[in-house]
């Protein structure tokens, strides 16, 4: 038997209901915030991710579904959504158009990770990207948007925030950090030794306990921010306070992608096990320029839909539509016609065989129909249809032409 690949799931039945309920809710909130839908390809040039997510990241270093296509192009299934949206933004010359451009998207992402609960190789994200707004109010809006989506879905969370500084304050901090790492280099893990040369701040979120212990004495970027970054970070905290969005400042939050500067944030849940990040994002003011566009400030986030599906409180669904069944073989054709007519305006389920009343009522209940409608020999003779309202438990017989 051929099975799906490891870490790649089918989404059906109840899961699909959850999936679409999430997309509907998140899309509604995003449109309230002034965002518009964008769809970008699943396959892009590998260079796009190398230059944006960064060669030093685990995503690009170890996890890409990368191959040569039949035309000899080096391509890659997208491991995340931001790079493709930035590419589209530049390709459509929106960087030259000026103004603010806000997009949301959802769809499959691919990372060749070691699968475990909450960690898939094909997973789905809902994300938003905002271009052209440098004001930290936009960062606050991003965080409040995630918070609104989670609130509407009945999901509790902890919010972690940090500032990663800018091109003024980050380089001197990085030099300081490298000096510190060198002072403990003999004791840190191999990954951190590599990170020291590629992207030193990534050592701060190393999962190795020994490293973490050593880094408690590392210099903190939050204490080295330039005046503008420090003011923005204070403003951000202030807006969140004023809007009752609780947060913790986590000075080790550096995110796994290289493109961030200034605000970085992550939403975590304590109810889904070790893969606890349910959303993450931040500001990436230099990425558009890095991908050959006109320098444009930008900020965004993405939410992991599979992780959220475990946490969503689904609303009670009420009965909907009709079930129409025949009790005699002779009534089947008439039932088919009535089903077809009714489907022009409502959801209708049916059964292609004649059954007794009890079986039909059971089918109607299973289909969560509001009305169970039956045609037997009596109804055939009288040109009527028997209708039971399964919600109110009332029955009536009505003329077929009025049905
Ligand atoms: P990210 O933190 O890599 O950020 O991913 C965002 C979310 O996707 C995570 O918080 C998690 O919920 C989910 N996720 C990531 N990897 C997996 C996986 N293997 N299995 C299941 N869920 C997963 C980004 O992707 C950035 N593009 C976010 C962003 C947008 N930053 C600015 N704009």
């Amino acid at each position: 038997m051929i099975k799906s690949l490891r870490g790649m799931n089918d989404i059906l039945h109840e899961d699909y209901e959850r999936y679409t309920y999430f997309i509907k809710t998140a899309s509604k909130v995003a449109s309230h915030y002034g965002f518009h839908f964008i769809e970008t390809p699943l396959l892009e040039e590998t260079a796009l991710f190398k230059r944006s997510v960064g060669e030093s990241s685990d995503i690009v270093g170890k996890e890409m579904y990368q191959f040569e296509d039949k035309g000899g192009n080096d391509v890659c299934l997208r491991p995340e959504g931001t790079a493709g949206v930035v590419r589209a933004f530049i390709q459509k010359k929106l960087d030259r158009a000026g103004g603010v451009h806000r997009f949301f998207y959802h769809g499959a992402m691919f990372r060749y990770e070691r699968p475990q609960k909450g960690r898939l190789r094909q997973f789905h994200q809902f994300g938003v990207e905002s271009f052209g707004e440098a004001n930290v109010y936009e960062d606050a809006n991003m965080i409040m948007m995630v918070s609104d989506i989670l609130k509407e879905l009945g999901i509790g969370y902890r919010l972690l925030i940090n500032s990663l500084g800018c091109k003024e304050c980050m380089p001197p901090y990085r030099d300081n950090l490298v000096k510190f790492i060198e002072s403990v280099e003999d004791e840190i893990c191999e990954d951190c030794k590599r990170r020291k040369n590629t992207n030193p701040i990534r050592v701060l979120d190393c999962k190795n306990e020994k490293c973490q212990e050593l880094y408690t004495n590392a210099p903190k970027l939050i204490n080295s921010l330039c005046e503008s970054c420090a003011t923005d970070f204070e403003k951000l905290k202030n807006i969140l306070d004023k809007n009752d969005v609780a947060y913790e400042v986590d000075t080790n939050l550096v995110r796994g992608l290289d493109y961030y500067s200034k605000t970085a944030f992550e939403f975590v849940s304590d109810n889904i096990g070790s893969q606890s990040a349910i959303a993450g994002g931040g500001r990436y003011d230099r990425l558009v320029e890095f991908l050959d566009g006109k320098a444009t400030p930008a900020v965004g986030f993405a939410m992991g839909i599979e992780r959220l599906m475990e946490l969503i409180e689904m609303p009670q669904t009420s009965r909907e539509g009709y079930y129409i069944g025949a009790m005699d073989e002779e009534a089947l054709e008439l039932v088919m016609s009535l089903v077809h007519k009714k489907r022009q305006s409502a959801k209708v389920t049916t059964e292609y065989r004649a059954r007794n009343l009890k079986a039909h009522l059971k089918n109607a209940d299973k289909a969560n129909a509001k009305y169970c409608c039956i045609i037997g020999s009596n109804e055939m003779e009288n040109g009527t249809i028997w209708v039971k309202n399964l919600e109110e438990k009332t029955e009536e017989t009505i003329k077929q032409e009025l049905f």
Side-chain angles (χ1 to χ4, degrees):
M1 186 182 51
I2 299 173
K3 292 189 177 166
S4 65
L5 296 172
R6 253 188 103 206
M8 300 203 174
N9 288 345
D10 304 305
I11 302 177
L12 65 162
H13 293 149
E14 220 265 324
D15 282 348
Y16 183 68
E17 305 267 314
R18 282 175 178 273
Y19 187 90
T20 47
Y21 177 61
F22 172 78
I23 298 291
K24 215 171 118 195
T25 307
S27 305
K28 185 193 75 184
V29 175
S31 68
H32 286 185
Y33 276 78
F35 284 71
H36 300 277
F37 185 71
I38 183 171
E39 174 99 37
T40 65
L42 269 68
L43 208 55
E44 299 267 9
E45 260 186 56
T46 300
L48 174 65
F49 301 108
K50 284 195 171 164
R51 275 166 64 186
S52 53
V53 177
E55 304 238 23
S56 75
S57 68
D58 284 350
I59 296 176
V60 169
K62 309 181 195 165
E63 298 167 0
M64 300 246 273
Y65 276 89
Q66 183 184 356
F67 59 95
E68 196 181 292
D69 73 6
K70 290 191 197 310
N73 304 300
D74 184 1
V75 296
C76 174
L77 281 169
R78 64 182 184 191
E80 58 102 53
T82 309
V85 177
V86 174
R87 187 219 18 85
F89 174 76
I90 299 167
Q91 194 170 335
K92 297 278 180 219
K93 300 192 169 48
L94 298 173
D95 54 333
R96 318 244 148 216
V100 181
H101 302 266
R102 297 187 171 97
F103 300 105
F104 73 93
Y105 54 89
H106 46 81
M109 310 290 158
F110 304 83
R111 295 183 192 175
Y112 196 84
E113 296 196 75
R114 199 167 41 78
Q116 64 174 85
K117 186 175 177 299
R119 188 159 72 197
L120 295 159
R121 287 182 174 169
Q122 175 175 341
F123 60 99
H124 296 78
Q125 282 185 346
F126 177 91
V128 318
E129 314 294 348
S130 162
F131 299 96
E133 184 54 85
N135 196 311
V136 71
Y137 285 179
E138 189 73 350
D139 310 34
N141 260 332
M142 294 287 150
I143 292 174
M144 292 198 283
M145 197 190 318
V146 180
S147 162
D148 284 354
I149 294 170
L150 295 176
K151 226 184 272 164
E152 197 149 335
L153 297 168
I155 299 175
Y157 64 81
R158 275 190 306 118
L159 164 63
L160 312 175
I161 61 170
N162 194 17
S163 175
L164 299 176
C166 64
K167 60 177 190 249
E168 303 302 324
C169 51
M170 175 45 100
Y173 168 75
R174 194 186 293 123
D175 293 345
N176 256 344
L177 183 65
V178 169
K179 271 187 212 133
F180 171 83
I181 300 171
E182 277 164 355
S183 74
V184 291
E185 195 157 4
D186 295 344
E187 298 168 79
I188 59 178
C189 72
E190 288 306 311
D191 273 343
C192 280
K193 283 183 187 155
R194 185 177 49 80
R195 288 176 187 132
K196 189 198 98 183
N197 300 318
T198 52
N199 189 1
I201 62 160
R202 286 297 321 274
V203 305
L204 296 175
D205 77 345
C206 175
K207 301 290 172 277
N208 185 311
E209 270 178 35
K210 171 102 189 289
C211 293
Q212 271 312 329
E213 230 178 274
L214 290 165
Y215 300 147
T216 46
N217 299 323
K220 305 227 176 308
L221 177 57
I222 210 87
N223 302 328
S224 321
L225 294 177
C226 63
E227 205 183 316
S228 143
C229 286
T231 311
D232 273 353
F233 196 55
E234 282 311 307
K235 261 195 197 168
L236 176 68
K237 289 192 287 182
N238 194 24
I239 304 164
L240 297 178
D241 288 337
K242 290 240 159 64
N243 286 279
D244 295 324
V245 179
Y247 58 84
E248 299 159 33
V249 175
D250 179 351
T251 50
N252 286 343
L253 178 73
V254 293
R255 310 267 307 124
L257 307 94
D258 290 356
Y259 47 62
Y260 294 109
S261 54
K262 293 196 161 187
T263 309
F265 59 88
E266 220 156 76
F267 285 76
V268 295
S269 163
D270 295 326
N271 300 318
I272 48 168
S274 66
Q275 297 306 305
S276 59
I278 49 178
R283 189 162 269 288
Y284 52 94
D285 285 345
R286 303 187 67 196
L287 184 56
V288 176
E289 195 180 354
F290 225 75
L291 291 173
D292 303 327
K294 185 173 167 215
T296 309
V299 55
F301 68 78
M303 311 178 81
I305 302 180
E306 279 80 0
R307 292 181 191 174
L308 292 164
M309 275 162 59
E310 294 220 4
L311 299 164
I312 292 173
E313 272 178 32
M314 290 292 280
Q316 287 281 349
T317 50
S318 51
R319 291 183 173 278
E320 184 202 345
Y322 297 79
Y323 172 89
I324 311 178
M327 281 172 59
D328 291 295
E329 283 289 321
E330 298 75 57
L332 277 173
E333 276 189 14
L334 175 61
V335 162
M336 278 298 287
S337 299
L338 290 172
V339 166
H340 181 238
K341 186 176 141 204
K342 217 41 175 180
R343 277 187 178 148
Q344 310 309 307
S345 60
K347 177 182 171 187
V348 186
T349 47
T350 187
E351 155 91 72
Y352 296 148
R353 284 181 300 154
R355 308 289 300 268
N356 64 28
L357 181 61
K358 198 172 157 203
H360 280 314
L361 282 166
K362 208 167 146 192
N363 280 348
D365 187 49
K366 210 168 143 199
N368 208 25
K370 184 168 177 192
Y371 299 100
C372 178
C373 315
I374 305 296
I375 298 195
S377 52
N378 278 349
E379 287 78 14
M380 285 281 277
E381 243 169 62
N382 302 332
T384 56
I385 181 163
W386 178 83
V387 179
K388 178 167 184 176
N389 182 326
L390 297 174
E391 230 167 52
E392 287 162 17
K393 313 269 185 255
T394 54
E395 299 170 19
E396 61 178 332
T397 301
I398 54 176
K399 283 270 170 214
Q400 283 164 19
E401 62 261 30
L402 299 177
F403 179 67

